[in-house]
Amino acid sequence: MLDAMPSYDPVTRAETARLRAEARLAGTIADFFLDADARLDDRTRLMLAHVLGAIVGAIEWDIRRHAARLLAGVGSTRAGEAILKAGAGGVVQQLTRAGLLRDEDLMEELIARVRHDLIAASLPVEVAEPEEASLLVRLAGVPDSIVASAASALLAAESRRRVANELGSAGGSELPAELHHRLVWWVAAAIRDGLNAATRESDRAITEAAERSLAAHDEGEQPAAVATRLAKALDARPNELAAVLVESIGDRRLSLFVAVLAHALGIAFDQARSITLEPDGDRLWLALRALDMDRPTIARIGLALSEADPRRDIEAFADALDAIVSIGVEDARASIAPLALNRDFRMALRALARTDRR
């Protein structure tokens, strides 16, 4: 077996093996001491790996193909072929080894996306009438062209996301612009680093290909953005809000539920998604009480989420329901007021809090 390995100094080989063993041991120890609620379950871990690999892979091949095309256009076919082949498909491993994919903002977004999609797919379907069309289908056919257009766009966006999840592929990164920008340049750097001999021409081609990927990125077609547009167009009144939230959940349209909740509370989509996905549900119940949701509404939403998310304790929720509905609307509003803070301000406060804990 050793003879089949690349020939290099035995001392170096031994030291490399030792470092790998130490890294594996450190990872195993860290995993053992993780709290149960911090550990990813196997289904989430697998889907997260698929999504991350698909996003990085799509960006990688877009950059490689376009850079090779640019080089071929100026007669540097061999350099273009090198970009296509050198380290192809190994960018995820490069970025992982470099520690770049441990980026907290990136992983927070991807984990939230994966959990959102898994829960949405597992929600129990509830319809008022067996022959009634789903909520989004009905909204896509209303006379209000703005609502109808946004509903149709959400149907298309969620269909694309569902197919991508099933196939383990990605048509685009579907990341917020800031994270997409960060990831594109990491991928471009990894491609360049994999070349045996980078030249000024290849650097220019990789750079132009990366800039093309950035220019093509459109946040507006992502499910979160489309759902937000639909929620704003619907602009559900207080007396309509409970029905829209309950029917969104019953129709497995978790993106719409989150967007309607965010719009009603005056907070960002990512904040509403975060409190919706939390397994203890405390902030979600407070948010619903802040909107003056009654016991049946909170119960239906809580039970549906408990069925879809194995991390939730349905018995604990049932025991706490009386206490939840006894919370005053104004008290609930005061408790969730920090959610409405500017996103950058929230991030700065969170970073400062981490610094203080050290």
Side-chain angles (χ1 to χ4, degrees), residues 147-158:
V147 170
S149 175
S152 297
L154 184 55
L155 280 168
E158 290 198 336

Side-chain angles (χ1 to χ4, degrees), residues 46 160 177 205:
L46 180 61
R160 288 194 301 271

Side-chain angles (χ1 to χ4, degrees), residues 95-111:
L95 298 181
T96 300
R97 286 195 300 269
L100 293 174
L101 295 183
R102 291 177 178 269
D103 181 85
E104 185 173 327
D105 293 336
L106 174 65
M107 294 310 296
E108 180 181 32
E109 174 64 28
L110 290 178
I111 291 169

Side-chain angles (χ1 to χ4, degrees), residues 1-85:
M1 183 67 183
L2 288 175
D3 293 339
M5 297 176 68
S7 177
Y8 56 89
D9 181 61
V11 175
T12 301
R13 178 178 296 178
E15 178 64 11
T16 301
R18 183 187 69 79
L19 292 173
R20 282 200 304 266
E22 285 186 356
R24 281 195 299 269
L25 177 61
T28 302
I29 292 171
D31 182 71
F32 177 78
F33 285 104
L34 274 177
D35 290 337
D37 62 353
R39 184 176 284 110
L40 292 175
D41 61 89
D42 290 342
R43 186 175 65 150
T44 304
R45 184 187 296 273
L46 180 61
M47 186 168 172
L48 179 61
H50 282 322
V51 169
L52 179 59
I55 288 173
V56 172
I59 293 172
E60 175 188 353
W61 285 110
D62 280 347
I63 293 176
R64 286 187 189 276
R65 281 194 295 264
H66 191 64
R69 180 169 171 266
L70 290 172
L71 288 168
V74 295
S76 298
T77 304
R78 184 173 297 178
E81 289 175 351
I83 286 178
L84 278 175
K85 296 176 181 177

Side-chain angles (χ1 to χ4, degrees), residues 159-215:
S159 177
R160 288 194 301 271
R161 171 73 65 81
R162 185 168 56 254
V163 170
N165 287 341
E166 290 171 355
L167 299 179
S169 62
S173 80
E174 290 198 355
L175 289 171
E178 181 182 346
L179 293 179
H180 179 75
H181 183 276
R182 200 178 302 176
L183 193 56
V184 164
W185 288 117
W186 288 345
V187 171
I191 292 171
R192 199 260 193 193
D193 187 62
L195 297 176
N196 290 326
T199 65
R200 184 178 299 179
E201 278 186 334
S202 62
D203 282 351
R204 185 182 301 116
I206 291 170
T207 299
E208 289 186 23
E211 289 171 343
R212 175 176 176 267
S213 178
L214 294 174

